[in-house]
Amino acid sequence: MKNKITKNWGLKLVSFLFASMVWIIVTNINDPSVPVRFSDIPVTIRNVELLTERGQICEVLDDSDMIDTVTIYAPKSVIDTLDKSNVVAIADVNDLTSLDTIPIKLSINKYNDKLDSIKGNIDTVKLNIEDKQTRSFPIRANVVGEVREGYMIGDVSTEQNLLRVSGPQSVVSRITKVQADVDISGFTSNVGTDADIRLYDEAGVEIKSSSLERSITKVRVNVEILEKKTVPITYTVTGIPADGYRLTGEISSTRNNVVIAGRSKLIQNINEIEIPEGDIDVSGAREDMTTLIDIKKYLPDGVVLAEEDFTGMVNVTVVVGQEIRRTFSTRVDNIRITGLPAAFEAEIIDPEDECMIALIGLASELDTVDVNSLEVSIDIVAWLEEEGVEEPEPGYYRIPLKVSLPEDSAVVWEESEVQVYITEAE
């Protein structure tokens, strides 16, 4: 059996090669029809302006403007010259059906007359046709993230304020918010960036549709970053209370300090917020006076309040106390006579034994005065200067008393006089 197979093997090989050559020649002469398949063939939709002229807009459904597979049957000689770019798919709006579909016409851009057949896995483009709507929306800038500690967000603005959107009425009517997000995480200085504009419906869901036309897709957003600082509030009180009343020096307020914010260079030079003279006026007051102050009025340009829950309104209360009169007595012998010229002698003759002295001040001030330690005197020199006299003449005179109160005391003594008899010394 083996000998039969290998016998005359050279002749058999020649016969095989000859038969193959005959087959190739016959095939090339006959040029048989063979298939070829191309994938992802785009469909060109023509005369869309016919819908636009009617105020309508169309949206392709189910990606039907892309044919997954096109199969072509043609002579092999033609097939060998084709590639994907030779396949032409056209859908003409003039052929629009009542079902809002357009038949797809397939062809090739060369040897089209030699085709046996051409067919795609889909044969129509499906459209959603609606009235076109155009609306304008305000662009809202939205910051996300947190600035570095000790800083806050100031003014946020966009270089364009309106976005015009055109598209199917069913889509445009869903838009309720237009927003551009900017991430300011960790920043300590102003931010300026081009941000994508996003569209949202009432539920906060982003609307993404290729059928929408926008006047712009990005907008420049500028975010001001301000440095924060805590400074005290100082108050200046003006005016004089009614007669018999006086300021105690006590001032209370609902806020003693405030957190402000501004550009770093500006904030560095601010150490207090001062309420100037005239805004807290106690003229004629007979009781504690409370004044409502708006701190914002006294902030320098470029500085703002940095506390969300603080409106800037502060109540300032100035305590007004009533003066009282309190008397004490001292023996006349204890009244010291000073400044008497050496050539004269002086004696207090009225009152004879005790002298009543009245002190005037707030009760709290008078309570701190130890009347037993007070020195009462008359100053002859001072009295002579007031009278414009260099040297007294012997006789009887009314000379004012002086009470030696502590230097920091607000208590005063009521003016009183004693009668003094001055004589020449013997």
Side-chain angles (χ1 to χ4, degrees):
M1 183 68 180
K2 181 178 179 183
N3 291 336
K4 289 182 179 181
I5 294 174
T6 58
K7 186 177 181 180
N8 298 323
W9 63 270
L11 180 61
K12 291 179 180 179
L13 178 60
V14 171
S15 298
F16 174 75
L17 293 175
F18 178 76
S20 297
M21 291 177 62
V22 171
W23 183 83
I24 292 172
I25 293 171
V26 171
T27 299
N28 287 333
I29 292 173
N30 290 338
D31 199 9
S33 180
V34 294
V36 65
R37 291 181 177 83
F38 298 109
S39 300
D40 299 329
I41 304 300
V43 180
T44 301
I45 302 176
R46 290 181 176 172
N47 296 312
V48 178
E49 64 273 9
L50 295 176
L51 298 175
T52 305
E53 290 169 359
R54 298 201 299 259
Q56 294 179 314
I57 192 169
C58 66
E59 180 182 12
V60 177
L61 300 177
D62 303 330
D63 295 326
S64 56
D65 59 347
M66 180 67 71
I67 305 174
D68 293 335
T69 304
V70 172
T71 303
I72 299 174
Y73 281 88
K76 184 177 183 306
S77 60
V78 173
I79 293 297
D80 289 343
T81 67
L82 299 180
D83 59 28
K84 179 179 176 178
S85 64
N86 298 122
V87 182
V88 179
I90 301 294
D92 196 320
V93 172
N94 282 307
D95 299 327
L96 182 68
T97 70
S98 60
L99 299 177
D100 290 343
T101 60
I102 306 175
I104 299 172
K105 296 178 181 179
L106 289 170
S107 63
I108 55 176
N109 54 18
K110 65 179 181 178
Y111 306 124
N112 192 59
D113 56 339
K114 295 183 179 181
L115 290 182
D116 291 331
S117 67
I118 181 170
K119 186 174 179 58
N121 67 307
I122 61 171
D123 55 10
T124 59
V125 174
K126 300 176 185 178
L127 299 180
N128 174 44
I129 300 176
E130 294 185 47
D131 289 338
K132 183 178 181 179
Q133 185 178 33
T134 300
R135 291 177 61 192
S136 293
F137 300 89
I139 302 173
R140 174 194 171 201
N142 179 56
V143 294
V144 295
E146 297 290 337
V147 293
R148 191 177 298 178
E149 186 176 356
Y151 293 82
M152 65 171 284
I153 298 169
D155 184 48
V156 180
S157 62
T158 57
E159 292 189 357
Q160 295 190 54
N161 298 321
L162 287 177
L163 172 70
R164 189 174 64 255
V165 181
S166 298
Q169 185 177 17
S170 63
V171 180
V172 175
S173 62
R174 290 172 50 211
I175 302 172
T176 59
K177 181 173 65 176
V178 173
Q179 184 169 291
D181 295 331
V182 177
D183 189 349
I184 46 81
S185 300
F187 276 88
T188 60
S189 59
N190 294 348
V191 178
T193 185
D194 293 329
D196 292 327
I197 300 174
R198 303 182 188 277
L199 313 177
Y200 296 91
D201 64 14
E202 188 174 3
V205 177
E206 185 177 357
I207 298 172
K208 298 180 180 180
S209 175
S210 59
S211 63
L212 294 177
E213 298 176 3
R214 311 183 192 192
S215 56
I216 53 175
T217 58
K218 291 179 177 288
V219 67
R220 187 73 175 178
V221 180
N222 297 309
V223 182
E224 186 181 36
I225 307 297
L226 305 176
E227 184 177 356
K228 295 194 293 185
K229 184 178 183 180
T230 301
V231 295
I233 306 171
T234 60
Y235 308 96
T236 301
V237 179
T238 55
I240 300 174
D243 288 344
Y245 294 84
R246 189 154 51 80
L247 299 179
T248 67
E250 181 182 352
I251 300 177
S252 63
S253 65
T254 52
R255 292 293 294 263
N256 294 319
N257 53 57
V258 62
V259 182
I260 58 175
R263 290 181 292 106
S264 296
K265 289 184 178 179
L266 179 59
I267 288 294
Q268 289 174 2
N269 298 322
I270 300 175
N271 298 313
E272 64 179 4
I273 301 299
E274 181 181 2
I275 309 305
E277 293 183 2
D279 282 30
I280 304 176
D281 190 351
V282 297
S283 297
R286 296 177 180 271
E287 59 184 9
D288 296 351
M289 178 173 286
T290 298
T291 305
L292 185 63
I293 299 293
D294 185 359
I295 297 296
K296 294 191 295 294
K297 290 171 52 179
Y298 309 101
L299 298 178
D301 291 340
V303 176
V304 297
L305 296 175
E307 298 169 271
E308 291 183 2
D309 57 348
F310 178 46
T311 63
M313 306 305 293
V314 176
N315 278 315
V316 182
T317 300
V318 179
V319 180
V320 177
Q322 185 174 9
E323 294 180 327
I324 62 174
R325 184 174 180 273
R326 186 174 294 174
T327 61
F328 71 96
S329 64
T330 184
R331 289 188 58 79
V332 171
D333 296 343
N334 293 332
I335 298 175
R336 193 161 62 93
I337 300 174
T338 64
L340 181 66
F344 294 88
E345 294 179 351
E347 179 185 4
I348 298 173
I349 60 173
D350 183 27
E352 294 181 0
D353 298 320
E354 289 189 348
C355 182
M356 299 301 298
I357 299 173
L359 298 180
I360 299 172
L362 303 175
S364 59
E365 296 169 342
L366 291 172
D367 289 343
T368 64
V369 176
D370 180 8
V371 295
N372 295 320
S373 65
L374 296 180
E375 181 182 279
V376 182
S377 64
I378 56 174
D379 188 343
I380 302 296
V381 172
W383 170 72
L384 289 173
E385 288 178 354
E386 286 185 10
E387 296 294 325
V389 178
E390 292 183 2
E391 194 173 271
E393 293 287 336
Y396 297 91
Y397 301 96
R398 301 292 297 181
I399 299 177
L401 290 172
K402 287 183 63 178
V403 180
S404 61
L405 292 165
E407 288 185 5
D408 59 347
S409 176
V411 174
V412 296
W413 66 87
E414 190 175 69
E415 261 191 41
S416 61
E417 297 175 339
V418 292
Q419 189 171 35
V420 179
Y421 177 59
I422 299 176
T423 61
E424 291 182 359
E426 295 182 1

